[in-house]
Amino acid sequence: MAKMSGKGQFTTVQKAINSIPSNNKQWTIILLNAGVYKEKVMIVKEKPYIILKGMGKSSTVIEWGDSGNSLESSTFKLYAPNFMARDITFKITWAPAALVRGDNASFYGCGFIGIQDTLTDLIGRHYFYNCYIEGAVDFIWGASQSLYQNSEINVKSKEIGVGKAFITAQGRQSASEASAFVFKNCKVTGTGPAYLGRAYKKYSTVVYYQSSFDNIIDPEGWNIMRQAGNEKYITYAEVECKGPGADMSKRVKWEKTLTAEQQKKFVDQKLFLNQDGWIEEQRLHL
């Protein structure tokens, strides 16, 4: 495994990434010193096996002030498979802080700060552990197969005056896809009011498992963006959640009740997205 020491060999994060050979097959760690890196960063699909490692999500920040197209304006864009980030915050003014569309991508102790479309979790299998995600409008969206574990989801709707916030806009399009967002042992905090999600596509799938909700969740819990009439196909579920926002007595009637077997397929990491052990293999290199 190669390592770039963080002692100033490169003046930008992008220059360090560009120095790694295309079609690299050796895990390479890029160490980022504490500080604010004001730049856009992109990892193209020909640059797999990269680890971006900061000094802490509060002290190592990659930031840009763009807005506009949610697929083009991201501060950080990942297209390569086999990627890890640790202890870094990705930040933007309005557009996505990060766009993730490479398979087998994992984030540990990372932050994602924005307002709308903060985390474009687009395509692939992704794992987020002990992360912090902040926003107000559809701020976790896309059609990936992702597990968010032990993470904080912070709603900022009151501060920016958007009315009601929408945490997720999940984009599963067919019954045959594995696409879903699963929040396991997470906490939803902030100012609200907020919906846990709104259906972005016909088979939108989001599960909150053993998570806690502040008193900011709209009593209905869930909403539909453009998919009215497809409620029977949508899988929105809360399992063993707690906190003042977890009262399900007034939730939408089409929220699903999962069987024990269905629950396990979502919340068991091995069954949901780690069948080939890629998460454990990656951890060996952190």
Side-chain angles (χ1 to χ4, degrees):
M1 180 170 61
K3 181 182 289 186
M4 298 179 183
S5 67
K7 294 181 179 178
Q9 299 103 314
F10 301 95
T11 56
T12 69
V13 178
Q14 190 64 58
K15 286 181 179 179
I17 291 167
N18 292 346
S19 73
I20 298 172
S22 294
N23 303 310
N24 166 60
K25 294 183 180 180
Q26 180 183 25
W27 282 103
T28 303
I29 299 177
I30 298 175
L31 293 175
L32 278 63
N33 290 322
V36 178
Y37 297 81
K38 289 188 176 293
E39 59 176 300
K40 280 190 172 186
V41 174
M42 181 169 66
I43 302 179
V44 297
K45 64 181 181 180
E46 293 82 13
K47 303 268 184 175
Y49 299 104
I50 289 176
I51 302 171
L52 292 183
K53 190 173 182 179
M55 299 296 175
K57 64 176 179 284
S58 62
S59 61
T60 308
V61 180
I62 300 175
E63 178 180 345
W64 196 249
D66 212 345
S67 62
N69 188 297
S70 60
L71 298 179
E72 299 296 330
S73 303
S74 300
T75 296
F76 174 72
K77 290 191 280 190
L78 173 68
Y79 296 97
N82 296 304
F83 169 84
M84 284 187 282
R86 182 171 183 173
D87 301 328
I88 298 170
T89 284
F90 305 94
K91 186 176 181 180
I92 202 161
T93 304
W94 193 272
L99 180 153
V100 185
R101 61 170 302 155
D103 195 27
N104 294 7
S106 57
F107 298 81
Y108 297 87
C110 289
F112 304 85
I113 296 177
I115 297 173
Q116 182 170 355
D117 301 342
T118 301
L119 177 53
T120 300
D121 195 6
L122 203 61
I123 298 171
R125 294 174 295 169
H126 307 148
Y127 181 58
F128 300 84
Y129 184 83
N130 192 29
C131 290
Y132 173 85
I133 307 166
E134 176 184 303
V137 182
D138 303 331
F139 63 98
I140 304 173
W141 80 282
S144 67
Q145 185 178 349
S146 292
L147 175 61
Y148 298 82
Q149 188 169 352
N150 293 75
S151 295
E152 179 177 359
I153 315 302
N154 189 257
V155 180
K156 291 291 186 181
S157 56
K158 185 175 289 185
E159 289 86 341
I160 61 172
V162 298
K164 292 183 179 178
F166 300 92
I167 295 171
T168 63
Q170 207 281 332
R172 180 169 174 163
Q173 299 189 72
S174 72
S176 62
E177 294 179 13
S179 168
F181 293 163
V182 176
F183 297 87
K184 182 178 181 180
N185 304 124
C186 291
K187 56 183 180 179
V188 178
T189 61
T191 54
Y195 287 96
L196 296 168
R198 60 174 170 175
Y200 172 57
K201 295 292 183 181
K202 186 175 181 179
Y203 285 82
S204 185
T205 301
V206 181
V207 176
Y208 290 84
Y209 176 76
Q210 292 185 349
S211 294
S212 65
F213 304 148
D214 280 359
N215 191 25
I216 62 171
I217 306 301
D218 185 276
E220 289 192 335
W222 308 91
N223 191 264
I224 290 180
M225 188 183 300
R226 295 187 295 266
Q227 302 302 318
N230 292 322
E231 289 86 350
K232 65 181 179 180
Y233 303 113
I234 296 167
T235 300
Y236 282 161
E238 302 163 66
V239 181
E240 299 176 19
C241 293
K242 61 183 180 180
D247 181 359
M248 297 177 63
S249 63
K250 296 181 181 179
R251 292 293 196 254
V252 292
K253 294 180 179 179
W254 43 271
E255 180 173 11
K256 297 295 190 295
T257 299
L258 303 178
T259 66
E261 183 179 356
Q262 289 170 328
Q263 289 178 32
K264 189 173 183 180
K265 287 181 179 179
F266 284 116
V267 303
D268 186 314
Q269 183 191 100
K270 193 75 175 178
L271 294 176
F272 178 54
L273 82 165
N274 191 37
Q275 298 91 336
D276 52 0
W278 66 271
I279 292 176
E280 288 82 7
E281 193 280 330
Q282 286 191 354
R283 281 176 176 159
L284 297 174
H285 304 282
L286 279 175

